[in-house]
Amino acid sequence: MSSEAGVTSEGKRATPNIVLIARRQAKGWGRERLAREFERLGRLLDLPTPELSAMTKAIYRHETGRAAVRDEVYIRLYCAAFETNSHDLFGTLSGDVQADGSCGLTSHKFVPVYLGSELLPVLIEAARLAPGAVQWAGCHVGQVEHPAGVCTLYAFPWGVGVFHLAEDLSVPNIASLAVWRRQTYRDARQWATDWLREATGSEIPVAHYVLSAYWVHEPPWRGRELTIALRLLSMPRVLLDRGTDDAGPSLHHAELVEQALLRDGFHDGRIDEFGVGGLSIGCASWAGLSYYPQAPGRALQVSDLIECELLVQALWSYCHHVHEQVEQGHDPVVPAEYGWRWVRAVRSRLTVTRPQETAQHASMRSAVLETSELGKHLTTALELLRDVDGE
């Protein structure tokens, strides 16, 4: 293949398209045979095709990299002949970002709410939650009806309920996801608050925030753009204006920002990457997570991510309750069995690597803890609760 490499019409050294060559050779075809297939497909798809000799020459130029495949007719013919899409065949040969098609992903929303020791048993009975566990933590769990997707409610014994809402999505770009995310966050918080208040008969429960994790199934990006896209998915808010009017964020503006960042690159010190080269790409930030298993059989499983976030958010909500009491001028009050000694034990479980824990899982856990600042919150809660005990 290297012997056929030459220069492009612009005088640059040509780079052979080894994907096109490999696809053709896998069929057992020569270039002229592929050209004849183009003739047949042209008639089938009602596409105007050049002469056979002209197509043979074009195939040679495309494969050797002397000419990029820009003609829509040839793009469609190659895709039809090799039964695949343009990204798999051509990537972004020009160096410009061109993300064809939509991105298939699952949105995982986590909505934690502090209930306290009195309301928790009321919730468990009202929602008919069954005993369960999330990693090392016992809890009660059950399905609840939600109009947007599959929703599971977890009730943790330290007084926190966490809704996990999974929604399968197909989005044309990250900008549309960012707009949808902002629009649905308020609804998710209000829904969780209303649902818990009705279930418990109390006005105490309030959902303060939502955290999202995006598990990518079918990315339209490749190479460098794929890594940039995963970073943006972990922090999609960077695509939106900080101040928006009642009409909501501008999708057009967000799309322009996305295109610029995919082209020029996006780096943020608040993002901690935890993927493994060749296996996965994972990004964690204060705003959320994104993960793409490039090798699904060897990468993390979706349950690994979900269970990690369930624990982190349930404990974060507990710490927030402790801090909130102190900021209101009160001594923090928690159930005796979930005092500072319990917090110390939890902090150790979260921050110390387990003997049989995989490197991938340890890397994800470390990234989530670092970006959520849960370790700091646990340490502060521990000190505040120990001060109350006078120890």
Side-chain angles (χ1 to χ4, degrees):
M1 279 180 275
S2 60
S3 63
E4 292 189 323
V7 295
T8 66
S9 58
E10 292 81 17
K12 299 178 181 178
R13 182 174 177 78
T15 301
N17 188 322
I18 59 176
V19 176
L20 286 182
I21 297 170
R23 291 274 187 166
R24 174 175 59 78
Q25 291 178 341
K27 294 278 191 181
W29 296 344
R31 290 181 179 125
E32 187 174 343
R33 171 65 180 83
L34 178 57
R36 291 200 300 272
E37 181 67 6
F38 281 0
E39 278 189 331
R40 184 186 72 82
L41 290 169
R43 292 191 295 270
L44 185 65
L45 299 173
D46 196 25
L47 295 173
T49 57
E51 295 290 333
L52 185 66
S53 60
M55 288 194 291
T56 303
K57 183 178 179 180
I59 291 169
Y60 167 77
R61 290 176 60 78
H62 295 157
E63 289 186 352
T64 58
R66 285 174 167 81
V69 186
R70 303 184 188 279
D71 190 304
E72 181 65 22
V73 170
Y74 276 112
I75 292 173
R76 292 184 62 184
L77 290 172
Y78 276 118
C79 291
F82 298 138
E83 300 176 337
T84 187
N85 57 68
S86 60
H87 265 287
D88 284 345
L89 296 177
F90 314 120
T92 52
L93 297 179
S94 66
D96 296 328
V97 175
Q98 183 62 46
D100 295 336
S102 59
C103 176
L105 56 82
T106 302
S107 164
H108 296 275
K109 284 190 176 83
F110 300 90
V111 191
V113 181
Y114 188 84
L115 298 164
S117 58
E118 293 183 1
L119 288 183
L120 194 71
V122 177
L123 173 65
I124 292 172
E125 182 177 355
R128 298 180 180 179
L129 304 182
V134 176
Q135 294 183 15
W136 46 263
C139 64
H140 282 75
V141 60
Q143 297 285 316
V144 298
E145 291 292 330
H146 192 284
V150 178
C151 189
T152 308
L153 174 59
Y154 297 80
F156 291 91
W158 50 89
V160 176
V162 182
F163 291 99
H164 166 228
L165 174 62
E167 301 169 84
D168 290 324
L169 305 174
S170 179
V171 296
N173 48 40
I174 304 171
S176 62
L177 179 71
V179 172
W180 171 83
R181 174 180 176 271
R182 174 173 286 185
Q183 292 171 339
T184 58
Y185 265 27
R186 179 181 298 177
D187 294 339
R189 292 196 306 270
Q190 189 61 55
W191 177 88
T193 298
D194 293 343
W195 196 97
L196 288 172
R197 287 181 174 181
E198 182 176 354
T200 61
S202 170
E203 294 298 308
I204 293 176
V206 176
H208 293 290
Y209 71 94
V210 181
L211 184 130
S212 287
Y214 300 112
W215 187 275
V216 178
H217 306 291
E218 300 174 358
W221 314 280
R222 294 294 182 271
R224 170 177 173 271
E225 291 128 18
L226 178 57
T227 301
I228 297 171
L230 266 291
R231 290 174 189 156
L232 289 172
L233 281 171
S234 73
M235 197 182 284
R237 189 173 182 176
V238 299
L239 301 179
L240 307 178
D241 287 331
R242 287 187 177 274
T244 56
D245 55 25
D246 294 337
S250 166
L251 176 59
H252 177 65
H253 173 78
E255 289 174 336
L256 293 177
V257 175
E258 177 185 350
Q259 292 167 16
L261 293 176
L262 286 173
R263 180 185 64 245
D264 301 332
F266 173 64
H267 299 275
D268 193 300
R270 296 168 295 176
I271 297 176
D272 198 334
E273 298 184 18
F274 59 89
V276 177
L279 297 183
S280 62
I281 303 174
C283 299
S285 80
W286 172 262
L289 276 77
S290 63
Y291 192 77
Y292 173 51
Q294 295 166 299
R298 292 179 291 155
L300 291 170
Q301 301 302 300
V302 67
S303 59
D304 296 324
L305 183 149
I306 291 172
E307 292 199 352
C308 179
E309 276 299 346
L310 282 169
L311 272 180
V312 167
Q313 299 311 316
L315 292 167
W316 206 98
S317 182
Y318 168 93
C319 292
H320 175 72
H321 173 69
V322 172
H323 300 158
E324 197 172 43
Q325 291 181 82
V326 173
E327 291 166 3
Q328 292 173 355
H330 308 301
D331 287 340
V333 177
V334 296
E337 63 269 37
Y338 297 106
W340 68 266
R341 289 182 175 84
W342 174 80
V343 174
R344 182 177 61 184
V346 165
R347 185 181 62 179
S348 177
R349 280 183 173 272
L350 287 174
T351 56
V352 178
T353 304
R354 302 291 101 182
Q356 297 185 359
E357 186 177 29
T358 67
Q360 291 189 74
H361 192 277
S363 179
M364 174 191 66
R365 178 177 49 77
S366 176
V368 172
L369 288 176
E370 179 66 25
T371 54
S372 68
E373 299 186 353
L374 178 59
K376 296 179 182 178
H377 288 298
L378 286 169
T379 297
T380 303
L382 187 158
E383 294 171 351
L384 292 170
L385 292 170
R386 185 157 50 186
D387 286 345
V388 173
D389 280 355
E391 298 187 31

